[in-house]
Amino acid sequence: MVSPDAGRPVDIEGILTLLAAGPVEIERRTMLADGSERWTYHRYFLMTDEAGRPVRLAGMMTDIDDRKRREQQDGLLLHASEVLSSSLDIADTLRATVELLVPAHADCCVIELLEDGQLTPVVTAHSDSEKVAWAKQIQSEYPTDMESPVGSPNVVRTGEPEIYRDITDDLLVEHAGDDERLLEILREVGYRSAIIVPLQTRRDVIGTITMVMAESQRQFDDPSLAFVRRLATQMAAFIDNARLHSELARSWEAQRVAVQTLQEGLGPDPLPTLESVGLSAHYAIGGADRVGGDWYDALAVDEQRTALVIGDVVGRGVPAVAAMSEYRNALRALILEGHPPSQALTLLNRFAMAKRPDGEGFATLACAVYDSATGSLTSSSAGHPPFMLRTADGVVQRVWDRPSPPIGVEETITYEDIVLTVEPESLLVLYTDGLI
């Protein structure tokens, strides 16, 4: 670590000692005067004379800030997934998630949910805990104006995020209008930068997450926006599922009917209509006493690629259905972020092991991505029955016939991809073991 006051690495004496054994490589975190940090990679080595005596210390430096930031954000997103999966209490779980963000990634964070056409703050966190009560009082005095052309109302209407990299006083004056008290409050807060991102489910926008930089004088950038959007995807999925669970919990029906309703509510989305691929599916629950964790998914990754998923969580009842919901949403997010099937399954396995280290939620599943431009099919399997492919000339073959363990069994598993070319007019069949 480098202190902004000293200007000299605090570990330099240790580096000089280690150089006696050869070059030294180190990653260094520098704290800047504005409270932000910068990561660099350093390689030190000694230059010697003809007699082998050290005469000069030399080194090289590489900026690794983007990589380290991505690693930190990925770690936080994984931690957030665990927190969001730990409870169905929306307010408490969102509060615990926001505490991961403040103050490391923002000075203030507010989550608003849409209820009866009005945005209502449900969680407010600030790096200065004494300012939370003050912020809530201001929210009460100035409820969100849903007709506002900017801010959270506009984000809800359009489904598009807003980023304010540098908030000037002119922007505050424009926002406050003729309200002098509001302008005074905005100036007292000391806004420096802000991001507002929609909480978007598969059906609609249900709220927003707002992150603000103020006292620290830090500023948001495009990578910050990308990170908040990924987090918002996880939050929206959690809220959507938590609300469904809450509705079922209030039901007066028997547990078996409630479990069946839960699985139906979390059932597959309608299949997308694509020009290059024809899709059809059949999904049937084997009776209320046999409700389990079978699922499938089909989604357009982009204009060329289509992802197909089939899975089966071992077990019956609420635990299997809950695990199925978690895995399905997590895998969908990983695929849409661009991870290939093998990497998506590997990351999902780590999540499953972190969530259920006793192996209670292990599942078989398989994932494939078809590229219509090249005709390639990239697939990976975690212990699931192999896909069956019928070619245009009627030949039937197994796409995947290598043994592989299910997810949730061993944390160190790394899954593999196989790639093959699929000819036009071929038929690919995915299924669960209920058909075997």
Side-chain angles (χ1 to χ4, degrees), residues 92-155:
D92 287 347
T93 305
L94 291 179
R95 188 176 298 108
T97 306
V98 166
E99 288 175 355
L100 301 176
L101 301 172
V102 178
H105 297 271
D107 295 330
C108 179
C109 181
V110 178
I111 295 179
E112 297 178 282
L113 295 183
L114 195 61
E115 299 287 351
D116 298 326
Q118 178 65 39
L119 282 170
T120 303
V122 294
V123 176
T124 301
H126 199 286
S127 57
D128 183 351
S129 59
E130 295 182 358
K131 290 188 177 181
V132 174
W134 177 74
K136 291 182 178 179
Q137 179 181 349
I138 300 304
Q139 292 167 350
S140 176
E141 294 182 20
Y142 291 92
T144 303
D145 178 8
M146 297 305 295
E147 301 301 320
S148 174
V150 296
S152 297
N154 186 56
V155 170

Side-chain angles (χ1 to χ4, degrees), residues 184-435:
E184 179 183 351
I185 292 171
L186 296 176
R187 285 171 170 167
E188 185 176 350
V189 172
Y191 289 105
R192 177 65 190 280
S193 189
I195 286 177
I196 309 172
V197 173
L199 298 176
Q200 177 104 42
T201 68
R202 297 187 300 270
R203 296 174 296 278
D204 49 29
V205 177
I206 60 173
T208 61
I209 174 172
T210 301
M211 294 176 61
V212 175
M213 295 295 191
E215 293 86 350
S216 70
Q217 293 298 300
R218 293 174 290 174
Q219 289 181 285
F220 291 116
D221 52 20
D222 289 339
S224 304
L225 176 59
F227 162 66
V228 180
R229 295 187 76 164
R230 294 168 66 194
L231 178 63
T233 298
Q234 293 185 348
M235 286 184 168
F238 156 73
I239 295 169
D240 200 24
N241 288 337
R243 284 176 169 174
L244 176 60
H245 280 267
S246 178
E247 292 172 4
L248 293 173
R250 291 193 296 266
S251 175
W252 291 97
E253 295 180 2
Q255 182 181 8
R256 292 187 306 171
V257 177
V259 173
Q260 183 171 353
T261 304
L262 175 62
Q263 188 175 40
E264 292 172 347
L266 297 175
D269 291 340
L271 294 173
T273 301
L274 306 171
E275 293 184 3
S276 58
V277 180
L279 299 173
S280 63
H282 177 71
Y283 184 80
I285 298 174
D289 59 341
R290 298 178 59 196
V291 173
D294 291 19
W295 90 94
Y296 71 85
D297 211 353
L299 57 152
V301 180
D302 53 34
E303 293 182 355
Q304 297 180 183
R305 294 179 298 158
T306 303
L308 305 173
V309 176
I310 191 82
D312 181 8
V313 177
V314 174
R316 299 291 179 187
V318 172
V321 177
M324 177 268 287
S325 173
E326 295 168 2
Y327 296 167
R328 178 189 176 211
N329 289 328
L331 187 56
R332 173 181 279 253
L334 289 169
I335 292 172
L336 291 177
E337 286 180 13
H339 294 285
S342 60
Q343 188 176 5
L345 294 186
T346 300
L347 293 172
L348 182 65
N349 178 63
R350 294 176 187 172
F351 168 75
M353 290 301 302
K355 177 66 177 171
R356 297 177 175 82
D358 56 0
E360 286 296 320
F362 81 92
T364 68
L365 66 149
C367 174
V369 174
Y370 173 68
D371 190 329
S372 60
T374 63
S376 65
L377 181 75
T378 303
S379 63
S380 187
S381 174
H384 201 78
F387 301 161
M388 303 300 292
L389 176 67
R390 190 189 69 188
T391 61
D393 56 6
V395 177
V396 177
Q397 67 183 71
R398 295 184 177 187
V399 173
W400 186 279
D401 202 15
R402 304 177 188 174
S404 59
I407 66 167
V409 176
E410 173 55 50
E411 185 175 6
T412 59
I413 294 171
T414 299
Y415 294 99
E416 299 177 355
D417 282 326
I418 63 168
V419 181
L420 56 85
T421 299
V422 178
E423 300 294 334
E425 304 300 324
S426 296
L427 176 66
L428 184 68
V429 179
L430 289 68
Y431 55 96
T432 58
D433 58 8
L435 295 180

